[in-house]
């Protein structure tokens, strides 16, 4: 069985046909889509984080708002660029969002992705230490975050505090029990997947990956997942980790579906991103029967326990709910991923 959620990049523009013409549109529609997805029986509502772009950026107000409007769906990110983050402040924000959700937060973090501006993290007040790269800085911030989430006291209390303190060293509040085990690392290479396993983080593997062998994207991604699981076992962690993959998948069940996605590209692409040769996974768009056969051959989806559907958020809440419903109803049951939550499997 698989958990199935959506991942929104949260684009907005005033282009013709866009249903998200402002930041306000994106934020409010993101909340509404999470509510709709929960009603359909989806398992997760995840949001991308990009700075200096007309996309979703500050995740915690949105996550808290989604948490307040929903009851069961997981809420998460994919991913927060840790080069921009103060881990101490982030622990407080994440703790609050997790408590509002009653333990549903699944926080995806990473060292980041290609940026809109040059060294944007410097504008946020961060710079690598001597001998450190920006990627090293992002991983260092992540390690501090993980340590703080353990909830151990570390700060010496004022002997004359404004309010009474509990005994001993103080921790950041509010503390969210269990959140440490719901941190995910977005990895684009085998090596960082192994590092994530060693750190005890879940794995988010996206729609691009460092091209390390020249094989098809899904084959390389499946190998990455297996390397991650082997490293997890070697590290001696006692819980079972979670692994997600992201895919653009469209079941063509209407003329509108076919108009939007009926001529989609069904091949991987290779390109250079941040001086790295990367392979970008294909999109899937076909009639349900054909789509089921295509997805059956995707080795990485088979390896993962969670599938995040990347949605075209600018097409509006109703259409994106339709996209999600098509996968839950017409595709997932036939592949044995899960039962049809709507009780009408095709």
């Amino acid at each position: 069985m698989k958990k199935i959620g959506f991942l929104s990049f949260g684009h907005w523009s005033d282009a013709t046909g866009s249903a998200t013409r402002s930041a306000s549109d994106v934020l409010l529609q993101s909340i509404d889509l999470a509510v709709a997805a929960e009603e359909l029986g989806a398992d997760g509502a995840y949001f991308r984080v990009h700075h200096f772009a007309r996309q979703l950026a500050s995740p915690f107000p949105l996550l808290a708002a989604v948490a307040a409007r929903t009851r069961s769906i997981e809420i998460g990110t994919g991913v927060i660029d840790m080069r921009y983050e103060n881990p101490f402040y982030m622990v407080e924000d994440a703790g609050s969002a997790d408590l509002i959700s009653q333990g549903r937060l699944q926080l995806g973090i990473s060292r980041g992705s290609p940026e809109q501006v040059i060294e944007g993290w410097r504008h946020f007040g961060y710079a690598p230490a001597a001998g450190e790269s920006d990627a090293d800085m992002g991983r260092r911030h992540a390690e501090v975050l993980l340590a703080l989430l353990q909830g151990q006291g570390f700060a010496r209390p004022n002997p004359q505090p404004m309010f009474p303190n509990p005994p001993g060293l103080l921790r950041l509040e509010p503390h969210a029990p269990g959140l440490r085990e719901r941190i995910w690392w977005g990895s684009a290479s085998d090596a960082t997947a192994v590092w994530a396993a060693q750190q005890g983080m879940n794995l988010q593997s996206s729609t691009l990956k460092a091209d390390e062998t020249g094989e098809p994207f899904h084959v390389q991604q499946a190998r990455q997942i297996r390397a991650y699981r082997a490293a997890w076992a070697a590290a001696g962690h006692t819980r079972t980790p979670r692994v997600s993959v992201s895919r653009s998948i469209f079941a063509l069940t209407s003329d509108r579906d076919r108009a939007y996605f009926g001529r989609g590209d069904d091949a991987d692409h290779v390109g250079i991103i941040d001086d790295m040769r990367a392979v970008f996974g294909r999109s899937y768009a076909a009639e349900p029967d054909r789509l089921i056969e295509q997805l059956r051959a995707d080795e990485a989806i088979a390896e993962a326990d969670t599938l995040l559907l990347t949605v075209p958020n600018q097409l509006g809440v109703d259409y994106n709910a339709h996209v999600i419903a098509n996968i839950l109803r017409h595709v997932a049951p036939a592949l044995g991923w899960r039962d049809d939550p709507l009780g009408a499997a095709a």
Side-chain angles (χ1 to χ4, degrees), residues 10-23 25-26 29 54 256 260 312-317:
H11 296 281
W12 79 84
S13 76
D14 57 4
T16 301
S18 173
T20 54
R21 308 182 74 81
S22 69
D25 289 342
V26 167
Q29 289 187 31
R54 292 188 174 187
R256 190 179 184 190
Y260 283 143
N313 75 278
Q314 287 187 270
L315 296 180
V317 173

Side-chain angles (χ1 to χ4, degrees), residues 151-212:
Q152 301 301 314
F154 63 92
R156 187 164 58 90
N158 188 333
Q160 296 179 317
M162 181 178 295
F163 307 106
N165 284 321
L169 299 176
L170 302 182
R171 67 186 183 188
L172 291 170
E173 301 289 356
H175 175 62
L179 180 56
R180 170 62 179 83
E181 296 186 350
R182 287 178 274 117
I183 305 299
W184 305 60
W185 185 258
S187 172
S189 70
D190 291 358
T192 54
V194 167
W195 176 81
Q198 293 167 344
Q199 298 296 319
M201 288 185 281
N202 301 309
L203 178 66
Q204 285 186 344
S205 193
S206 187
T207 52
L208 70 87
K209 185 187 175 297
D211 187 9
E212 300 181 78

